[in-house]
């Protein structure tokens, strides 16, 4: 037997152990070795039943995702798919095969589990068909066996939604036959002994839960509607529903054939390639080349948050939710009361929506201790400053924190635009100063931009990266440039959106072009949500840096002067009704038209394609500069920032991946057209020019050592 699978014997029960760390993926060699072990079980007269179990921390987390790229790029030339055949062999074994599940039985792992005659599980195990999250569907009869075990409704929910269920729920649904407390292997062997000699039920022959077409029709219709709404633009969920529908309609073999066709169609799609890029990208961003895995991590058991505004309050909730006690400091009682009331309101909303229980919330609230002073800050391991965005104030706060906090404490700023180095200069410990840029609402958004100053210590970086994970965030390390990565790119993106309106596109048309592309919101509606006054204040702070003669958007400053700050004032680019629904506002159209006329900007019809290209390529061009200058470590870091902080559609892989799929030569040509029409704001990034000329991609680009940060 190979190293990947071991066969041992516990008297009359064979134990097949899969050992392919870290997650026992079904890499080449694993299915073959399982098949070989089953062959032994079948032939060895001393064996009456078998247990299949995962070695290490988990059962099987699925097919080996790395192999998919090899298949779609033609490196794999294997003929008939192997896994489905191996699963049939297990199911056809004349001796009962008991699957013993701990950790995760995901994707191909779940499919493997369902090919057994019985399943037992540790109570902490999770089971699921998460393939849709990779833009594919189960490809080894998962869509055919799951409805036979759990019914069509649950199978549709799991295969189209992709979220796992607990072992307890799996037990209630009949997917799992027994929960095993304590030693799983021993429990599974005992179970196998109980069922040895009895007829072994084949999942594929069960039909009791498949329902009638009449019963299934409303379930499938509701699932399709939900998928179109909640997973807008994604192909895989609809394919998964079609495959599950086939399970109830067709014999098993024909259902499997349909599943295979749908699986292959999805696998070769751009959506799946993008989502697989995202899967590995989310893991890649945690790796910082000059901060090795062994870098010591500083303890963060207690934190301080300075400022109880929207951001500070949200950040306090993030820590409290992760079990870390927080001292929340404000300057006066009224501001502190307001901050706390917001936190309570926020939690109450979560209880109302059923996300948290009251008990859970009470426990979290107890972890947030409000204060008007810095008393107690001497004990905290880390402080996150979230005061008003102004350099003078930030420096004052950091000088004070430097005085009151213990020497080992990390001092972090939530600034979204200001220089971490300048903030650090207010302290005597610049090595302990770092940026932790949360996105609003901080307790919801997954992105955490971690900003490395020129003096930030490696231990501080490693600690912040690990803390991000603990807080349930995706931490991405970025360099210290104006706007860091996300906002620096967002600036030209929103600038183009505004220019387009000035040139004749309607506010709604600009937003629609981007939401049709898959963005969660259009650029102008996003401004209204974030508050137009934020940018206005920043523009005022940086006005002295603007180059004379360079075109600037006209309308947003005017809107702010009118008190139209966006949703919070009931009006911005749109008007908002009492339910915060955006309504187009002719007053804005008129204002923009007048401003454009005064500035001599000609009006014309602008096609949606131009709106899209100008906005997205503005992102890409700035992203290319950031990448070359080294403020982002890799193109995928930029992608992960945009997916988790800016509502970029995951199935397009992020702005840099999207540009790669369009082809950099084509992107460059279009940018050069825009440069001719609109001038130097559209000068192509040198890296884009170079890569386009080489026929290369952003993906995989590694900057020469010795670049800026
Ligand atoms: C499928 O099964 C299709 C089927 O229908 C069959 C069709 C024929 N493959 O996430 P972590 C790596 S599709 C390859 O940091 P955690 C991961 O990249 C698959 N590699 O750990 C990382 O590598 P590195 C359906 C994989 O404890 C390391 O393992 N299954 C795979 O936070 C540790 O991972 C899924 O979609 C894989 N399948 O989370 C499950 N899985 O250290 C995908 C992980 O070099 N996996 N790696 O960066 C997960 O959801 C999580 O990894 C899991 C563990 C929850 C299992």
């Amino acid at each position: 037997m190979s190293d990947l699978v071991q066969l041992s014997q516990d008297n009359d029960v064979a134990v097949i152990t899969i050992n392919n760390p870290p997650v026992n993926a079904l890499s080449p060699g694993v299915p073959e070795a399982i098949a070989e072990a089953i062959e032994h079980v079948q032939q060895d007269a001393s064996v009456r039943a078998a247990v299949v179990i995962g070695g290490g921390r988990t059962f099987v987390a699925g097919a080996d995702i790395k192999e998919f790229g090899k298949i779609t790029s033609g490196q794999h030339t294997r003929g008939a798919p192997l896994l489905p055949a191996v699963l049939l062999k297990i199911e056809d074994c004349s001796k009962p095969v008991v699957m013993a599940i701990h950790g995760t039985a995901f994707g191909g792992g779940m499919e493997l589990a369902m090919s057994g005659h019985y399943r037992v599980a540790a109570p902490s195990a999770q089971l699921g068909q998460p393939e849709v999250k990779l833009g594919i569907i189960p490809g080894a009869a998962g869509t055919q066996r799951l409805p036979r075990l759990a019914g069509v409704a649950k199978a549709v929910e799991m295969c189209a939604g992709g979220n796992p269920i607990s072992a307890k729920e799996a037990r209630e649904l009949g997917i799992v036959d027994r929960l095993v407390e304590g030693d799983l292997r021993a429990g599974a062997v005992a179970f196998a002994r109980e069922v040895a000699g009895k007829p072994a039920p084949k999942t594929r022959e069960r039909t009791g839960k498949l329902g009638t077409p009449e019963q299934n029709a409303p379930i499938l219709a509701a699932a399709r509607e939900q998928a179109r709404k909640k997973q807008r633009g994604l192909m895989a969920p609809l394919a998964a529903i079609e495959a599950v529908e086939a399970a109830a309609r067709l014999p098993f073999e024909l259902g499997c054939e349909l599943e295979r066709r749908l699986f292959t169609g999805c696998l070769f799609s751009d959506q799946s390639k993008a989502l697989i890029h995202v899967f590995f990208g989310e893991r890649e961003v945690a790796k910082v080349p000059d901060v090795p895995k062994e870098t010591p991590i500083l303890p963060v058991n207690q934190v301080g948050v300075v400022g109880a505004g929207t951001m500070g309050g949200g950040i306090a909730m993030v820590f409290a939710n992760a079990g870390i006690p927080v001292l929340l400091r404000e300057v006066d009682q009224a501001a502190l009361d307001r901050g706390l009331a917001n936190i309570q309101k926020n939690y109450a909303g979560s209880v109302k929506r059923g996300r948290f229980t009251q008990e859970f919330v009470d426990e979290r609230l107890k972890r947030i201790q409000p204060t008007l002073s810095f008393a107690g800050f001497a004990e905290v391991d880390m402080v996150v400053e979230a005061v008003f965005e102004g350099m003078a104030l930030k420096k004052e706060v950091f000088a004070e924190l430097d005085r009151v906090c213990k020497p080992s404490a990390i001092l972090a700023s939530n600034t979204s635009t200001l220089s971490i180095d300048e903030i650090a200069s207010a302290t005597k410990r610049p090595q302990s100063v770092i940026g932790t840029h949360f996105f609003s609402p901080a307790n919801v958004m997954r992105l955490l931009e971690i900003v490395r100053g020129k003096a930030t210590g490696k231990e501080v970086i490693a600690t912040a990266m690990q803390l991000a994970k603990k807080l349930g965030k995706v931490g991405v390390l970025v360099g210290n440039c104006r706007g860091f990565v996300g906002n620096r790119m967002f600036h030209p993106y929103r600038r183009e959106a505004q220019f387009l309106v000035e040139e004749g596109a309607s506010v709604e048309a600009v937003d629609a072009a981007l939401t049709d592309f898959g963005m969660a919101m259009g650029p102008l509606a996003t401004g209204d949500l974030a508050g137009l006054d934020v940018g206005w204040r920043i523009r005022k702070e940086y006005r002295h840096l603007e180059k004379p003669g360079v075109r600037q958007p006209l309308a947003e400053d005017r809107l702010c002067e009118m008190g139209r700050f966006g949703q919070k004032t009931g009006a911005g680019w749109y008007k908002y009704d009492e339910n915060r629904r955006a309504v187009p506002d002719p007053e804005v159209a008129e204002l923009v038209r007048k401003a454009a006329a005064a500035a001599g900007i000609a009006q014309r019809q602008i096609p949606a394609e131009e709106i899209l290209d100008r906005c997205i390529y503005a992102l890409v061009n700035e992203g290319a500069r950031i990448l070359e200058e080294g403020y982002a470590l890799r193109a995928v870091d930029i992608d992960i920032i945009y997916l988790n902080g800016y509502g970029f559609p995951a199935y397009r892989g992020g702005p840099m991946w999207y540009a790669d799929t369009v082809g950099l030569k084509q992107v460059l040509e279009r940018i050069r057209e825009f440069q001719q029409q609109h001038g130097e704001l559209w000068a192509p990034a040198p890296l884009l020019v170079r890569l386009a000329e080489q026929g290369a991609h952003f993906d995989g680009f590694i900057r020469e050592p010795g670049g800026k940060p």
Side-chain angles (χ1 to χ4, degrees):
M1 198 113 316
S2 81
D3 290 349
L4 297 167
V5 173
Q6 285 85 45
L7 179 64
S8 59
Q9 208 159 324
D10 186 323
N11 296 319
D12 53 348
V13 177
V15 179
I16 300 168
T17 308
I18 303 168
N19 261 314
N20 184 24
V23 297
N24 291 329
L26 297 166
S27 315
V30 177
E32 292 88 332
I34 297 173
E36 208 182 309
I38 291 290
E39 195 70 52
H40 273 279
V41 168
Q42 186 67 56
Q43 277 163 22
D44 187 339
S46 69
V47 171
R48 296 176 65 234
V51 166
V52 177
I53 193 165
R57 62 171 157 137
T58 186
F59 185 67
V60 171
D64 187 338
I65 301 167
K66 286 194 288 295
E67 295 298 309
F68 292 148
K70 296 181 194 161
I71 297 172
T72 50
S73 63
Q75 286 177 49
H76 258 325
T77 48
R78 193 189 280 149
L82 186 68
L83 189 58
V86 172
L87 303 190
L88 283 177
K89 193 179 182 94
I90 296 170
E91 204 170 37
D92 285 338
C93 182
S94 62
K95 302 171 187 176
V97 180
V98 178
M99 300 289 172
I101 302 163
H102 72 300
T104 47
F106 279 179
M110 175 81 180
E111 292 170 306
L112 170 68
M114 292 190 293
S115 75
H117 305 106
Y118 300 96
R119 283 145 297 279
V120 300
S124 59
Q126 290 199 308
L127 296 87
Q129 299 282 182
E131 286 88 342
V132 284
K133 300 198 173 174
L134 301 171
I136 54 175
I137 67 166
T143 61
Q144 306 303 300
R145 286 198 178 90
L146 188 52
R148 286 173 161 81
L149 284 179
V152 167
K154 198 68 199 178
V156 158
E157 183 190 312
M158 288 177 71
C159 293
N163 294 323
I165 58 169
S166 66
K168 186 167 166 279
E169 188 180 351
R171 170 75 194 95
E172 283 156 12
L173 289 164
I175 299 173
V176 162
D177 300 287
R178 181 180 291 172
L179 295 180
V180 176
E181 305 274 353
D183 187 338
L184 178 67
R185 187 183 193 272
V189 168
F191 185 95
R193 217 158 264 142
E194 284 172 37
V195 293
K198 298 189 185 147
K202 293 182 190 178
T203 307
R204 71 173 192 268
E205 286 174 1
R206 300 194 190 187
T207 51
K209 290 190 177 173
L210 286 178
T212 63
E214 294 71 33
Q215 287 166 332
N216 291 334
I219 297 170
L220 296 162
R224 287 191 167 103
E225 195 185 320
Q226 161 124 340
R228 287 200 182 97
K229 231 190 262 161
K230 296 234 165 109
Q231 294 155 293
R232 191 165 56 93
L234 278 172
M235 291 160 46
L238 295 171
I241 296 167
E242 193 179 339
V244 174
E245 181 178 25
R249 210 167 36 83
L250 301 174
F252 180 80
E253 292 70 25
L254 293 182
C256 287
E257 269 174 36
L258 180 75
E259 180 198 79
R260 171 79 14 201
R261 276 202 302 280
L262 291 165
F263 169 82
T264 307
C266 287
L267 184 63
F268 281 84
S269 70
D270 282 345
Q271 291 198 351
S272 165
K273 288 175 197 155
L275 287 164
I276 289 174
H277 160 72
V278 174
F279 175 83
F280 287 115
E282 285 203 349
R283 282 143 185 94
E284 181 83 5
V285 294
K287 295 166 193 157
V288 180
D290 71 332
V291 181
K293 257 206 327 248
E294 312 70 59
T295 309
I297 305 286
L298 306 167
V300 181
N301 298 322
Q302 213 189 336
V303 300
V305 172
V306 184
T310 313
M311 285 312 291
I315 294 167
M317 290 170 74
V318 171
F319 282 108
N321 289 347
I324 301 172
V326 190
L327 278 175
L328 179 60
R329 194 249 176 195
E330 251 304 344
V331 277
D332 63 62
Q333 193 63 47
L336 193 56
D337 290 346
R338 253 195 326 271
L340 281 175
N342 270 336
I343 292 174
Q344 274 156 355
K345 195 170 127 208
N346 221 314
Y347 272 133
S350 303
V351 173
K352 213 166 131 196
R353 285 191 304 275
R355 196 169 155 233
F356 295 152
T357 63
Q358 189 59 46
E359 207 184 345
F360 177 96
V361 164
D362 290 344
E363 210 181 290
R364 263 118 203 108
L365 279 170
K366 264 191 248 146
R367 293 195 188 124
I368 301 176
Q369 196 188 323
T371 172
L372 291 174
S373 75
F374 282 114
F377 272 62
E379 276 89 61
V380 301
D381 302 308
M382 178 177 183
V383 180
V384 180
E385 163 278 314
V387 301
F388 216 63
E389 195 77 345
M391 186 52 90
L393 177 61
K394 300 256 180 200
K395 281 175 136 174
E396 213 176 281
V397 171
F398 271 74
E400 180 68 17
L401 289 172
D402 194 28
R403 268 191 298 278
V404 299
C405 293
K406 62 185 176 192
S408 61
I410 296 175
L411 307 183
S413 173
N414 181 51
T415 181
S416 55
T417 44
L418 302 174
S419 165
I420 288 297
D421 290 335
E422 197 177 338
I423 293 174
S425 73
T427 74
K428 294 190 201 67
R429 57 173 103 181
Q431 73 285 355
S432 301
V433 176
I434 194 163
T436 48
H437 179 206
F438 288 83
F439 285 69
S440 187
N443 55 318
V444 177
M445 298 294 285
R446 272 186 89 211
L447 178 62
L448 182 65
E449 264 188 338
I450 298 173
V451 189
R452 174 181 202 165
K454 64 174 185 291
T456 310
K458 292 189 180 178
E459 295 182 7
V460 173
I461 293 171
T463 304
M465 297 296 285
Q466 208 212 35
L467 182 66
K469 202 165 181 191
K470 185 161 181 198
L471 299 179
K473 306 285 176 203
V474 188
V476 184
L477 190 67
V478 299
N480 179 35
C481 57
R482 189 175 149 197
F484 313 127
V485 170
N487 283 346
R488 178 170 156 185
M489 288 166 66
F490 206 52
H491 180 72
Y493 168 75
R494 290 203 70 251
R495 176 197 74 207
E496 286 306 309
Q498 294 171 69
F499 284 174
L500 285 155
V501 176
E502 291 169 13
E503 291 164 31
S506 70
V507 171
E508 307 82 82
V510 170
D511 277 349
L514 275 306
T515 50
D516 288 349
F517 173 77
M519 298 294 292
M521 278 178 104
L524 302 169
T526 306
D528 278 358
L529 177 69
L532 300 180
D533 53 322
V534 181
W536 188 37
R537 225 176 13 247
I538 295 167
R539 281 195 295 283
K540 284 197 241 174
E541 180 140 344
Y542 285 111
R543 190 129 289 160
H544 62 286
L545 296 178
E546 279 171 14
K547 280 198 212 137
V550 174
R551 182 177 171 190
Q552 297 290 339
L554 302 167
E556 230 162 65
D557 286 354
R558 308 263 162 89
L559 292 172
C560 288
E561 283 155 16
M562 293 161 72
R564 297 180 67 123
F565 293 165
Q567 287 197 18
K568 62 184 164 193
T569 57
W573 284 102
Y574 296 87
K575 272 190 303 208
Y576 292 88
D577 64 16
E578 56 290 356
N579 300 319
R580 289 211 167 189
R581 243 196 319 261
V583 183
D585 190 348
E587 204 185 326
V588 173
E590 183 62 18
L591 176 146
V592 176
R593 210 182 47 76
K594 276 202 189 130
I601 299 169
Q603 303 292 292
R604 65 195 169 91
Q605 289 275 345
I606 304 180
E609 189 205 355
E610 179 183 337
I611 296 175
L612 183 68
D613 286 356
R614 273 175 65 181
C615 291
I616 298 293
Y617 293 167
L619 274 183
V620 171
N621 205 30
E622 195 62 31
R625 288 183 207 284
I626 288 172
L627 188 57
E628 182 157 39
E629 291 165 11
Y631 292 109
L633 281 168
R634 296 147 292 225
V636 69
D637 292 50
I638 298 178
D639 288 336
I640 297 301
I641 287 174
Y642 260 76
L643 301 178
N644 292 289
Y646 295 85
F648 201 96
Y651 62 82
R652 296 199 192 266
M656 309 315 275
W657 179 266
Y658 173 69
D660 280 346
T661 46
V662 171
L664 296 191
K665 196 162 160 284
Q666 195 177 323
V667 172
L668 177 63
E669 272 168 21
R670 194 78 167 128
I671 286 181
R672 285 197 165 133
E673 268 174 47
F674 295 147
Q675 185 185 19
Q676 274 190 348
Q677 292 156 9
H678 304 282
E680 283 319 291
L681 281 174
W682 276 104
L687 177 65
L688 172 63
V689 176
R690 231 172 40 242
L691 294 177
E693 281 167 358
Q694 293 164 359
H697 295 113
F698 288 128
D699 187 41
F701 166 76
I702 308 282
R703 194 173 45 104
E704 301 281 313
K708 257 184 229 163

